[in-house]
Amino acid sequence: MTDNNSANDSEKNLDQKNAQHKKRMQAVKEKVDQRIDSAQEERGLIIVITGNGKGKSTSGFGTVARAVGHGLKAAVIQYIKGTWACGERSLLENAGVGFEVMGTGFTWNTQDKTQDIAAAQQVWLKNKKLLQDESIDVVLMDELTYMVAYKYIELDEVLEALKNRPVNQHAIITGRGCHRAIIDLADTVSEVQSIKHAFDNGIKAQKGIDW
């Protein structure tokens, strides 16, 4: 009898826990459903992915890949990019994604500010045209934040171009130290923080993982 009573008590406790869990989950579902019902506006988003951690460009390219997978048309502008191979470009160009690449690499490599400004301005002109093109659904501006921070591209020009882009066009900006004015304008902002990085422990950048 004692064993039967213990089994019955355990079963009752389990039933109570299940009932409490169901009640909590139902309350969560109701809140989520309310948020979904209230979020009915459809328009292009400004998405900023900033911070000191690894994964900003990766996230941006992942969003482009998702968009292309849904049949959207995307374009990519890469500001801090040299002539080395780019796995994302190799993949996405085959999927119809257009690329504009600054091509000078890191500023500590060129050590020529005048050349860097000229290269940035040349790519920015193409960038602005993409931000005016209603046929482009998604524009990824990879590492644009550096161009604004270095004053290679005027902040006001960037803000104006973002504000005046086609209403349904999504704009994604990546890079460290995003200017507060761009963050304020953005709809979604994510900050990627570094906890550990292999490079800090003397491990070289890996093909297919880091580039």
Side-chain angles (χ1 to χ4, degrees), residues 47 49 56-64 74-79 88 92 97-100 127 130-131 136 138-144 170-174:
I47 301 172
I49 308 162
K56 297 179 290 295
S57 295
T58 304
S59 177
F61 280 113
T63 304
V64 169
V76 175
I77 302 94
Q78 291 181 288
Y79 282 98
E88 299 95 331
L92 292 172
V97 177
F99 274 71
E100 297 292 346
N127 193 156
L130 290 171
L131 290 173
I136 304 295
V138 181
V139 180
L140 169 60
M141 290 157 276
D142 190 37
E143 314 287 14
L144 175 65
H170 305 287
I172 306 169
I173 297 169
T174 71

Side-chain angles (χ1 to χ4, degrees), residues 108-126:
W108 58 81
N109 286 332
T110 63
Q111 301 180 17
D112 187 332
K113 186 174 183 178
T114 300
Q115 176 187 332
D116 289 340
I117 292 175
Q121 286 292 321
Q122 184 177 6
V123 175
W124 173 240
L125 289 175
K126 297 175 181 178

Side-chain angles (χ1 to χ4, degrees), residues 92-184:
L92 292 172
E93 279 189 325
N94 288 331
V97 177
F99 274 71
E100 297 292 346
V101 182
M102 186 167 154
T104 57
F106 300 107
T107 55
W108 58 81
N109 286 332
T110 63
Q111 301 180 17
D112 187 332
K113 186 174 183 178
T114 300
Q115 176 187 332
D116 289 340
I117 292 175
Q121 286 292 321
Q122 184 177 6
V123 175
W124 173 240
L125 289 175
K126 297 175 181 178
N127 193 156
K128 286 196 293 184
K129 289 182 179 179
L130 290 171
L131 290 173
Q132 297 168 353
D133 189 341
E134 294 184 356
S135 73
I136 304 295
D137 301 299
V138 181
V139 180
L140 169 60
M141 290 157 276
D142 190 37
E143 314 287 14
L144 175 65
T145 59
Y146 293 98
M147 301 298 101
V148 174
Y150 298 159
K151 301 187 185 304
Y152 293 177
I153 299 173
E154 291 296 326
L155 172 64
D156 289 343
E157 281 194 48
V158 174
L159 295 174
E160 182 180 2
L162 290 171
K163 291 175 182 177
N164 294 324
R165 74 192 196 286
V167 66
N168 290 317
Q169 187 184 82
H170 305 287
I172 306 169
I173 297 169
T174 71
R176 296 188 182 198
C178 186
H179 195 284
R180 172 54 61 180
I182 297 176
I183 289 176
D184 289 343

Side-chain angles (χ1 to χ4, degrees), residues 30-92:
E30 289 174 0
K31 290 181 180 179
V32 172
D33 288 344
Q34 288 174 1
R35 293 186 66 187
I36 292 173
D37 289 341
S38 64
Q40 294 300 313
E41 181 183 2
E42 288 190 42
R43 61 173 174 80
L45 303 177
I46 298 174
I47 301 172
V48 170
I49 308 162
T50 190
N52 296 328
K54 170 181 165 54
K56 297 179 290 295
S57 295
T58 304
S59 177
F61 280 113
T63 304
V64 169
R66 174 184 291 164
V68 172
H70 282 291
L72 301 182
K73 186 175 181 181
V76 175
I77 302 94
Q78 291 181 288
Y79 282 98
I80 304 289
K81 188 71 178 69
T83 57
W84 58 86
C86 175
E88 299 95 331
R89 182 177 181 181
S90 299
L91 177 69
L92 292 172

Side-chain angles (χ1 to χ4, degrees), residues 16-33:
Q16 288 176 349
K17 289 180 179 179
N18 285 336
Q20 291 170 352
H21 176 76
K22 183 176 181 181
K23 185 177 181 180
R24 287 196 300 269
M25 292 302 100
Q26 183 61 36
V28 171
K29 183 179 184 303
E30 289 174 0
K31 290 181 180 179
V32 172
D33 288 344

